[in-house]
Amino acid sequence: MKYLLAYTIPVICILGIYLEGFWTFAGVVFAFGILPVLELILPTDEKNYSQSETDSKLKNRLFDVLLYFNIFIVYGILYFVLQKVSSEKLSVSEIIGIILSLGVVLGSNGINVAHELGHREKLYERVLGKLLLIPSHYTHFFIEHNHGHHLHVSTPEDPSSANYNQSLYTFWIQTVTGTYTKAWQIQKKLNQIEKRSWYSVKNDMLWFTIIQLSYLLSIYYFFSFIGFIVALLSGIVGFLLLETINYIEHYGLKRALLPSGRYERVSEKHSWNSNHILGRIMLYELTRHSDHHYKSQKKYQILEYHDVSPQMPFGYPTSMVLSLFPPIWFAIMNKRIPLEMKP
């Protein structure tokens, strides 16, 4: 039941937006002010589960239901916000607070959960994952992440892996443009392998494009121009939060190029790990990212800690804040990168 804490971000966001005024920024303050402070106080947890505990957690459907419920949370808050901004007179600062707080929800309870569901084998779970990507305008993430990022992580071929001494801001440009371009390249290759035409109903990128445009046009039609702007900008905040997480997850880590010309296999040492308990809970164990890349089909509730994985000195919420200040980030993280991976 500890994962119910993951709902605190949307609850605080919707309460803040309802109260209006400076409270509209409550979601941002909670996620990147209060949570980092709590992470510094609370202990880490390196414990792994026994085989019997793992089996029990895999049989317990509640872990899946907790993920599915985010569909109602994300789209419920989205509707509440759009209804509010299109029917009430709000100040510019309130609109900004709403955009940022909604963006936090779209990132934490939207894209983050979509990432977990996108790795599932069941079709309906993958469909739910795609639905959660729509409000952040990032449906192409489904293709690029599963067919690109997991294959090329920590190599120059991966736009979602940050280089040594690369700032977050240049990384944003690299990954936002690179992942979208690469998603089309992957789709083109899939079409060729299965001998489909570009207009095939199985061309996911074509459907994603239609869906994303239809989503924004529908919001413009039903919630006016202000609703369109809020939906557009909050979605951008959502995917920038995702890419900030991508930045800290693989910063400076590289796979060795073998004499054969291929890169070494992905292992536990190619992703930064964090055992800070609060970040683990809030992000459905995303912070045990090393194990996720090592065995991408493992469900979040059974991800493990590996002592060979590079360890972050702080949890993900704290690290995301630090990454906004490149000199501080470099000073903290560069000395932690394994020597064999440094340029």
Side-chain angles (χ1 to χ4, degrees):
M1 299 302 291
K2 64 183 179 182
Y3 294 108
L4 287 173
L5 285 174
Y7 298 152
T8 56
I9 290 179
V11 168
I12 288 173
C13 284
I14 200 168
L15 282 175
I17 293 170
Y18 174 78
L19 293 172
E20 300 180 0
F22 67 90
W23 288 106
T24 57
F25 290 88
V28 183
V29 173
F30 177 70
F32 299 111
I34 297 175
L35 287 184
V37 171
L38 291 175
E39 278 195 321
L40 294 175
I41 300 172
L42 296 174
T44 59
D45 182 10
E46 299 177 355
K47 177 179 176 292
N48 289 327
Y49 302 114
S50 66
Q51 187 60 53
S52 61
E53 289 175 318
T54 296
D55 293 339
S56 175
K57 288 178 179 293
L58 287 175
K59 292 176 183 177
N60 190 341
R61 291 283 294 165
L62 180 59
F63 288 105
D64 296 330
V65 173
L66 288 171
L67 296 180
Y68 305 158
F69 193 66
N70 283 284
I71 285 284
F72 302 101
I73 290 175
V74 168
Y75 280 95
I77 292 180
L78 179 63
Y79 177 78
F80 170 74
V81 165
L82 293 176
Q83 188 68 36
K84 188 175 186 66
V85 299
S86 62
S87 61
E88 299 182 21
K89 186 174 179 57
L90 301 169
S91 68
V92 173
S93 63
E94 287 175 319
I95 294 293
I96 294 173
I98 288 171
I99 289 170
L100 294 176
S101 289
L102 177 58
V104 170
V105 175
L106 298 184
S108 61
N109 297 77
I111 297 182
N112 179 49
V113 176
H115 164 260
E116 172 71 21
L117 293 174
H119 284 287
R120 299 293 178 89
E121 295 180 356
K122 295 177 180 176
L123 177 60
Y124 73 86
E125 291 183 309
R126 297 199 302 273
V127 170
L128 291 177
K130 293 175 183 178
L131 288 173
L132 285 171
L133 291 171
I134 294 172
S136 291
H137 329 307
Y138 237 53
T139 44
H140 63 278
F141 173 82
F142 181 85
I143 291 178
E144 196 284 327
H145 182 81
N146 290 287
H147 297 282
H149 176 62
H150 271 266
L151 180 64
H152 300 296
V153 65
S154 297
T155 72
E157 282 75 22
D158 180 34
S160 297
S161 294
N163 298 316
Y164 182 84
N165 269 350
Q166 181 178 19
S167 75
L168 172 64
Y169 306 105
T170 60
F171 175 76
W172 277 349
I173 298 172
Q174 167 188 299
T175 189
V176 171
T177 58
T179 54
Y180 184 75
T181 301
K182 195 162 186 178
W184 274 110
Q185 293 172 348
I186 293 170
Q187 184 65 70
K188 182 180 179 180
K189 183 179 291 186
L190 291 173
N191 289 345
Q192 291 173 342
I193 292 173
E194 299 190 17
K195 298 180 179 179
R196 309 179 195 139
S197 70
W198 192 82
Y199 298 101
S200 169
V201 294
K202 293 185 178 180
N203 185 341
D204 283 347
M205 282 300 292
L206 176 59
W207 280 109
F208 290 161
T209 303
I210 294 172
I211 290 170
Q212 292 288 183
L213 290 174
S214 299
Y215 165 76
L216 289 174
L217 289 174
S218 297
I219 288 177
Y220 180 81
Y221 180 80
F222 289 108
F223 299 101
S224 72
F225 181 71
I226 185 62
F228 170 81
I229 291 298
V230 169
L232 177 67
L233 296 182
S234 60
I236 292 174
V237 172
F239 74 64
L240 287 181
L241 288 178
L242 163 75
E243 296 301 2
T244 303
I245 289 177
N246 267 333
Y247 176 79
I248 67 175
E249 283 174 338
H250 304 288
Y251 171 76
L253 302 179
K254 294 295 180 184
R255 287 155 59 190
L257 185 63
L258 303 176
S260 64
R262 305 185 68 173
Y263 290 97
E264 64 177 316
R265 294 188 65 176
V266 178
S267 72
E268 307 96 313
K269 65 181 182 180
H270 295 119
S271 305
W272 290 98
N273 187 76
S274 169
N275 286 310
H276 292 76
I277 188 65
L278 197 57
R280 286 179 53 192
I281 294 171
M282 292 301 217
L283 295 172
Y284 297 100
E285 303 292 353
L286 182 69
T287 66
R288 284 192 162 181
H289 206 62
S290 300
D291 196 34
H292 169 69
H293 268 276
Y294 181 51
K295 296 179 180 178
S296 63
Q297 297 302 315
K298 289 179 72 170
K299 292 187 174 183
Y300 74 95
Q301 67 265 32
I302 61 168
L303 289 174
E304 296 180 293
Y305 161 68
H306 300 275
D307 57 9
V308 298
S309 302
Q311 301 300 307
M312 303 193 77
F314 306 105
Y316 273 32
T318 306
S319 298
M320 292 172 72
V321 174
L322 292 175
S323 69
L324 297 172
F325 307 95
I328 298 176
W329 176 257
F330 297 153
I332 293 173
M333 297 302 296
N334 283 1
K335 60 187 177 185
R336 292 176 172 269
I337 296 173
L339 289 176
E340 68 272 16
M341 296 188 187
K342 291 184 178 181

